[in-house]
């Protein structure tokens, strides 16, 4: 757990806006961090994601990836989203919303990736489409926009 938190802090420091970006780290971060491991209870009962600073480090690293990475993110983002729709793992989705909050490029990249995941990914498509709608509304709200209700999407 301590090693993972150190790795997350290093990624956040190296990928942060003030520190600049390193292309190798942009590709390495999403593959080095297993999202399911972050939410699994540790021997002392607290998942790593619940530890102080972890969520902020993850959001900062994802923000850099969503802002600066040019290569396709579908596989990396898909594995994170797949883990996030499992019971008890909603905090992983919160990390992505925090990462993109109020920033145009991260919101655009994340929204497009979520739509592709919901449409073409494997697994429970109904749950994926529901989560995609919820995330789109949350991302719009971070910009102060109202989510538009379309016919068939009334609550």
């Amino acid at each position: 757990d301590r090693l993972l938190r150190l790795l997350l802090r290093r990624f956040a420091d190296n990928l942060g806006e003030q520190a600049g970006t390193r292309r190798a780290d942009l590709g390495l971060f999403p593959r080095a961090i297993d999202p399911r491991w972050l939410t699994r209870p540790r021997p002392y009962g607290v998942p790593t994601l619940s530890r102080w600073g972890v969520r902020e480090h993850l959001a900062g690293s994802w923000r850099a990836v969503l802002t600066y990475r040019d290569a396709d993110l579908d596989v990396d983002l898909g594995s994170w989203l797949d883990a996030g729709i499992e019971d008890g793992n909603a905090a992983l989705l919160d990390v992505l919303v925090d990462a993109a909050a109020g920033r145009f490029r991260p919101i655009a990249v994340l929204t497009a990736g979520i739509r592709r995941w919901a449409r073409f990914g494997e697994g429970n498509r109904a749950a994926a489409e529901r989560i995609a709608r919820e995330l789109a509304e949350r991302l719009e709200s971070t910009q102060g926009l109202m989510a538009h209700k379309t016919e068939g999407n009334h609550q």
Side-chain angles (χ1 to χ4, degrees), residues 14-26 64-65 67-68:
N14 288 335
L15 295 176
E17 293 174 28
Q18 295 174 348
T21 60
R22 296 181 181 164
R23 291 206 181 276
D25 289 345
L26 290 172
V65 169
T67 301
Y68 300 111

Side-chain angles (χ1 to χ4, degrees), residues 3 28 30 36 47 49 52 54 69-70 77 93 106 110-111 126 128:
L3 180 60
L28 180 62
R36 288 173 179 89
L49 187 56
W52 183 86
V54 170
R69 187 164 155 194
D70 297 328
L77 188 56
L93 303 176
L110 182 57
T111 300

Side-chain angles (χ1 to χ4, degrees), residues 41-93:
R42 310 306 328 143
Y44 44 82
V46 179
T48 302
L49 187 56
S50 299
R51 306 276 298 188
W52 183 86
V54 170
R55 184 170 165 170
E56 292 79 12
H57 293 299
L58 286 166
S61 296
W62 267 111
R63 183 176 308 113
V65 169
L66 294 168
T67 301
Y68 300 111
R69 187 164 155 194
D70 297 328
D72 183 39
L73 286 171
D74 286 353
V75 171
D76 298 328
L77 188 56
S79 65
W80 195 272
L81 291 165
D82 287 339
I85 66 171
E86 294 174 3
D87 288 340
N89 289 354
L92 294 170
L93 303 176

Side-chain angles (χ1 to χ4, degrees), residues 27-28 32 46 55 60 62 66 94 106 117 128 130 133 137 153-154:
L28 180 62
V46 179
R55 184 170 165 170
W62 267 111
L66 294 168
D94 296 338
W117 167 77
R130 179 182 50 81
R133 282 191 305 274
E137 289 176 5
N153 188 20
H154 298 280

